[in-house]
Amino acid sequence: MLRFFRSHLAWKVFLSYVVVVLVGVIVLASATRFSVPAAFDRHLAGMSAMMSGDTMMGDAQPLELELFSNYQASVTEALSLATAAALIAAVLASFFISRQVVGPVQQMMEISHRIADGEYEERLKISGNVQANQLDELDQLALTFNQMADKLEKTENMRRQLIGDVTHELLTPLTAIKGYMEGLTDGVLAGTPETYQQVHSEADRLQRLVNGLQELSRVEAGAYQQRLESVSAYDLVETVVSHLSRQFEEKGIRLGIKLDEGLPNVTADKDRTIQVITNLVGNAMQYTTMGGSVVITATTVKSDVVFCVTDTGIGIAADQLSFIFNRFYRTDKSRARVSGGSGIGLTIAQALVKAQHGRIWAESAGEGKGSSFFFTLPVVAEKQ
Ligand code: ADP
């Protein structure tokens, strides 16, 4: 019961009014009990003295009037006392209410001003018990406000981090291009086709980075048309294999497929899913050396089809596995940079799979032991 009162502001307000009314009633009741009878007694005594003396019966009228006016005076006295007591109770109750309501609202206003000025660390104090869920409406508002401040702080940190990352990523090829150009101008570098080729490949990397960022921002904002339809899992894998098999041959890496028989269709955006598989198979090819192999499998697990791309390549250390889907993350920065990787591909793949109600993750037995990339897509629901 107490818990119920504690967690409802309306009840607190109601209770404070009840207190005011009760104080008024109690004072009024005790005043009528003690002061009105005393006044009555006084007047009745005066009246009987007059009636027992030589007062004429005709004078009874003024006595009655006096009795009535004294009765009125005592009631007024009682009412004044009750009013004074109720006023004091009202002042106390409004003080209590303003502490409960106005205080937190003012604090919220101050903190929201500070957040608007860029100070994201401030949080509101919550007086109720969050664990026991004993929160009134103001506590709940404070809790939501704090959650909003958490999100704003996180977004702001991500924005800062992104600007830092992008600047760093752009700076590397730009510095290289500038270095080549200065070398050429000063005559330190010979203007050979190789030098121009180096400049071109740095510019090419810049372009890929900008394209990747553009794609990522579109995918993360959901600003692309997603066409979910019933798609054959075989077709998805076959399309990617036919696109990439020549490159695998050139690199001397075997590419195999192992698909379950009777694979059901999945609900997916065909082009986007091909993009995801191409990215995973492309990475597998990139991080596997000549003589290695890459296998694409697909199996049905409950209401999902699980696609997997396994390679015998460089593998991923256990402590890096959880980071590889973060933007710009590369396990071996220098090697990936040389191979032109920007660390955005897996971030895009993750966003695309999530948008299609799937999950994506990676497993590896460790460095040098190959890796497996999995993602799921929901099986097409059968029509009833
Ligand atoms: P990148 O363009 O650098 O390949 P990705 O987002 O596709 O960017 O991959 C992020 C990082 O994850 C890569 O730089 C690499 O370190 C690691 N990675 C991805 N796929 C594999 C793989 N098949 N084997 C080993 N490491 C991988």
Side-chain angles (χ1 to χ4, degrees):
M1 188 69 175
L2 194 68
R3 191 179 154 187
F4 181 75
F5 281 120
R6 237 188 254 156
S7 59
H8 285 81
L9 192 62
W11 279 108
K12 283 185 189 167
V13 175
F14 173 70
L15 267 183
S16 68
Y17 287 128
V18 168
V19 168
V20 174
V21 172
L22 271 182
V23 169
V25 168
I26 291 167
V27 175
L28 191 57
S30 30
T32 37
R33 182 138 189 219
F34 300 113
S35 87
V36 174
F40 251 85
D41 283 349
R42 266 201 323 274
H43 288 287
L44 278 178
M47 215 172 107
S48 34
M50 271 191 254
M51 290 185 60
S52 62
D54 51 359
T55 321
M56 282 175 42
M57 287 297 282
D59 289 345
Q61 189 86 6
L63 271 177
E64 268 174 33
L65 277 176
E66 200 188 335
L67 178 64
F68 183 67
S69 77
N70 272 297
Y71 170 77
Q72 265 186 326
S74 30
V75 171
T76 312
E77 191 183 311
L79 273 177
S80 318
L81 267 174
T83 311
L87 261 176
I88 293 170
V91 168
L92 290 176
S94 62
F95 176 70
F96 166 78
I97 289 293
S98 70
R99 261 190 52 163
Q100 293 274 312
V101 180
V102 182
V105 171
Q106 269 173 348
Q107 204 197 0
M108 212 174 285
M109 257 165 52
E110 279 167 23
I111 294 185
S112 53
H113 279 310
R114 260 177 261 154
I115 288 181
D117 288 341
E119 291 174 39
Y120 294 94
E121 308 80 30
E122 295 260 10
R123 296 290 179 275
L124 285 169
K125 276 198 207 80
I126 295 168
S127 51
N129 187 341
V130 181
Q131 264 83 37
N133 205 19
Q134 286 177 356
L135 301 174
D136 64 23
E137 287 84 347
L138 276 173
D139 281 336
Q140 284 172 17
L141 183 61
L143 195 72
T144 321
F145 182 92
N146 285 349
Q147 285 168 350
M148 183 196 75
D150 283 345
K151 281 214 176 118
L152 279 175
E153 190 178 6
K154 218 170 129 189
T155 312
E156 176 60 15
N157 287 343
M158 272 171 63
R159 191 183 66 85
R160 285 200 194 128
Q161 169 98 35
L162 180 66
I163 291 178
D165 287 346
V166 171
T167 314
H168 178 79
E169 295 297 324
L170 290 177
L171 213 57
T172 317
L174 276 177
T175 312
I177 293 175
K178 209 172 144 210
Y180 286 123
M181 297 320 277
E182 277 170 4
L184 284 169
T185 318
D186 297 347
V188 181
L189 271 178
T192 58
E194 288 77 42
T195 312
Y196 293 120
Q197 184 55 43
Q198 299 272 30
V199 176
H200 184 269
S201 77
E202 290 296 341
D204 202 36
R205 188 135 65 90
L206 265 181
Q207 179 150 33
R208 259 182 290 136
L209 179 68
V210 174
N211 289 348
L213 278 172
Q214 239 176 2
E215 169 91 359
L216 181 63
S217 77
R218 261 193 313 137
V219 169
E220 284 190 334
Y224 67 97
Q225 272 239 304
Q226 177 163 265
R227 275 190 45 220
L228 291 181
E229 55 188 334
S230 172
V231 186
S232 152
Y234 295 102
D235 287 354
L236 290 170
V237 176
E238 294 288 352
T239 311
V240 176
V241 169
S242 68
H243 283 168
L244 295 177
S245 54
R246 246 200 55 214
Q247 290 182 42
F248 270 86
E249 264 170 43
E250 281 167 13
K251 272 199 84 177
I253 302 170
R254 265 176 296 117
L255 176 62
I257 42 177
K258 241 189 325 193
L259 308 180
D260 268 7
E261 265 180 43
L263 268 181
N265 278 13
V266 288
T267 306
D269 181 316
K270 194 172 176 191
D271 293 341
R272 299 295 167 173
T273 310
I274 289 174
Q275 185 181 343
V276 172
I277 304 175
T278 306
N279 183 276
L280 298 182
V281 177
N283 274 353
M285 178 172 68
Q286 186 174 344
Y287 298 109
T288 303
T289 43
M290 189 186 269
S293 66
V294 173
V295 181
I296 309 171
T297 60
T299 42
T300 316
V301 178
K302 293 181 186 162
S303 54
D304 286 325
V305 169
V306 182
F307 295 86
C308 173
V309 179
T310 302
D311 63 57
T312 56
I314 61 168
I316 302 162
D319 59 339
Q320 311 236 15
L321 272 176
S322 52
F323 301 111
I324 53 171
F325 293 95
N326 294 353
R327 62 165 76 86
F328 300 123
Y329 193 84
R330 289 171 291 226
T331 55
D332 180 344
K333 306 233 180 299
S334 51
R335 187 187 332 209
R337 202 164 261 153
V338 168
S339 58
S342 56
I344 302 179
L346 286 179
T347 319
I348 295 176
Q350 183 181 46
L352 289 176
V353 170
K354 276 189 182 166
Q356 298 178 68
H357 314 293
R359 289 176 301 118
I360 185 165
W361 70 98
E363 289 175 9
S364 172
E367 280 182 83
K369 296 182 176 156
S371 12
S372 296
F373 282 78
F374 300 84
F375 76 95
T376 67
L377 285 176
V379 169
V380 173
E382 273 178 34
K383 289 204 179 86
Q384 297 289 315

